[in-house]
Amino acid sequence: MNTRHQMKKTVYLHVGSPKTGTTSLQEFLARNTASLAEQGFFVPPHNIGDSGHHELPLSLIKDICDSWYDGWPKISRRSEVVWGELIERINKSECPNVIISSEMFHDIPNHPYSQKIGERIKGSLYEYDVRTIAYIRPVDKYINSIYRQDLENRNSFTSLTKSAQYYKEQRLVHLYPSAWLDFYSSLFGKESLTVRKYDRSEFRNGSIIFDFIDTLGIQYPPEKEPDCLLQENLSIQEDHIDIRRALNTEGTNRQSINTQISNVFTRISDILNEKAPSADLLSEISSEILNEHAIIKERYGVDLGSNINLESTKKQNRDFSEYLQLGLTGLVINQIGEVDRKIDDLARTTFNTLIMPHVRKATPAIIYPAGAHAAWLMQNTILPSANIVACVDRNPGKHDKTRFNAPIITPDDISRYAPGVVFIASPRFGEEILESLLKTLPATTEIVFLS
């Protein structure tokens, strides 16, 4: 028997943490798949709206813990399908290296079934040499930053110290990142884990993207290096934190406008009368942070510093009337958001009515194009239940790949798949697409606008 030894492919699993330039890094990876492949690094396509591979950890968390995170796309596919598709793509790629990136891997140790999730990750990637990459901020800076993000994305009214107290009570990796690092160290071995301190002043050109590609040994010619300089997400300034809290509203369509206005008055009174955090509580949290820094330095050789600066929501020189103006402004913004949501609900109902006949008949269907609006339809309508045989994209770089579990084809290939219906999913170019389809498709093929 003639056997040949094949070297294992290397999978670089970038596991976060959040607030370390992950969005910029993931956008860079998504935009540069072709040039990275030329250097032997395969970046698998992602199947939900964001640039990262978030469907991988989110599908596991959903299946095993039955959890969903506000602000993240809801996952419709089971983890077996999601991870099976990933393995198939890796094995088909000719690249010896693979890059997977999602900061949602960071949150897995927070779950009661984290060990089971870890076993599934390890079992899925057993064929490969897995190298885990983690970026970590000093814990106080991370807590300050994640708190601001919660104000921005989750309409939180909680003070920073109360949030930190909750992290402590729940033993979350937000305050205890050593648990997160230990988790991946135990999965793939401590020698496989690269821990980098997130400090832009120490990165080449001040960019995590340069630091990441340098860590992996990826070379970029000087003329292409500007592609690595993407704008990282901005945070709320400390002096503006209380303004953001006053602007946040929680109104739902079940509440009357009078009830919402009353809530604004009550919340502003609470903010103005809020007591400063006790010195004991701040000392306790600071002590926990210093202990975590010491553990990480001892175990992973990364010095996160000893100067702790846990911000508090500073009281500004504003009176009740100024806060009231902010709160009522937030209420108006919220009502606009309610109108947008109702428009979305109406669109969903309309699209489902158009799609349903083809779902019932299992009509061979093609989606054209398979971009951001198509992804929204797949997340928010019954389109995933349709018999999708192909997706159309004019970008040659996407051909011979898949989208929504269907091959991506050129417009010229549509007739070869003999679709019974073509769903046009482009608000901007719908008329242009319709005109081209009318010239090339037989009259028996139905064309349906989903935009």
Side-chain angles (χ1 to χ4, degrees), residues 105-126:
F105 284 110
H106 164 269
D107 199 66
I108 287 173
N110 282 333
H111 291 274
Y113 299 103
S114 59
Q115 199 59 41
K116 188 173 182 180
I117 297 176
E119 290 170 1
R120 288 279 300 277
I121 295 173
K122 186 175 181 178
S124 298
L125 300 176
Y126 79 95

Side-chain angles (χ1 to χ4, degrees), residues 239-271:
D239 288 347
H240 300 159
I241 286 176
D242 65 329
I243 298 177
R244 180 69 222 197
R245 289 177 68 194
L247 278 168
N248 282 347
T249 61
E250 60 180 347
T252 68
N253 52 17
R254 294 191 185 96
Q255 290 179 299
S256 69
I257 189 67
N258 288 337
T259 301
Q260 293 185 51
I261 290 173
S262 296
N263 288 344
V264 170
F265 272 79
T266 302
R267 184 170 59 259
I268 291 171
S269 296
D270 289 344
I271 291 174

Side-chain angles (χ1 to χ4, degrees), residues 277-395:
S278 70
D280 288 344
L281 176 59
L282 288 174
S283 176
E284 190 177 334
I285 293 173
S286 296
S287 176
E288 295 290 315
I289 292 173
L290 284 172
N291 187 54
E292 277 297 294
H293 284 195
I295 291 172
I296 290 167
K297 183 176 181 179
E298 179 183 354
R299 292 180 187 171
Y300 300 102
V302 175
D303 187 354
L304 297 176
S306 57
N307 294 322
I308 304 303
N309 177 27
L310 193 66
E311 296 173 0
S312 60
T313 50
K314 294 181 179 178
K315 294 291 187 296
Q316 306 298 312
N317 295 320
R318 297 187 177 90
D319 59 22
F320 185 87
S321 63
E322 290 178 290
Y323 273 104
L324 179 61
Q325 292 177 35
L326 291 170
L328 294 179
T329 300
L331 186 60
V332 171
I333 294 171
N334 182 71
Q335 291 301 307
I336 294 171
E338 286 294 320
V339 173
D340 288 340
R341 283 189 285 275
K342 288 178 180 178
I343 291 172
D344 279 350
D345 289 342
L346 179 61
R348 273 189 283 271
T349 302
T350 303
F351 293 148
N352 285 340
T353 302
L354 296 171
I355 297 167
M356 181 58 76
H358 300 287
V359 171
R360 288 175 173 165
K361 298 176 185 177
T363 311
I366 283 179
I367 300 176
Y368 185 1
H373 184 62
W376 183 91
L377 291 165
M378 292 295 287
Q379 290 289 333
N380 294 279
T381 71
I382 60 172
L383 188 57
S385 301
N387 179 21
I388 301 170
V389 296
C391 299
V392 178
D393 201 296
R394 295 177 180 177
N395 183 352

Side-chain angles (χ1 to χ4, degrees), residues 18-19 72 143-155 233 235-236:
K19 310 309 295 178
W72 290 87
I143 290 177
N144 292 337
S145 185
I146 205 74
Y147 172 71
R148 297 178 190 192
Q149 179 174 291
D150 285 347
L151 286 181
E152 191 72 31
N153 297 338
R154 299 183 184 178
N155 277 354
N233 291 338
S235 297
I236 305 171

Side-chain angles (χ1 to χ4, degrees), residues 218-236:
I218 298 172
Q219 300 294 325
Y220 259 74
E223 65 272 13
K224 286 192 174 183
E225 286 198 344
D227 295 340
C228 303
L229 297 173
L230 300 176
Q231 177 66 50
E232 297 189 13
N233 291 338
L234 300 177
S235 297
I236 305 171

Side-chain angles (χ1 to χ4, degrees), residues 88-111:
E88 182 181 353
R89 285 170 169 167
I90 292 175
N91 291 339
K92 286 176 65 176
S93 169
E94 296 181 359
C95 295
N97 305 292
V98 181
I99 300 175
I100 296 170
S101 174
S102 174
E103 60 270 35
M104 282 308 299
F105 284 110
H106 164 269
D107 199 66
I108 287 173
N110 282 333
H111 291 274

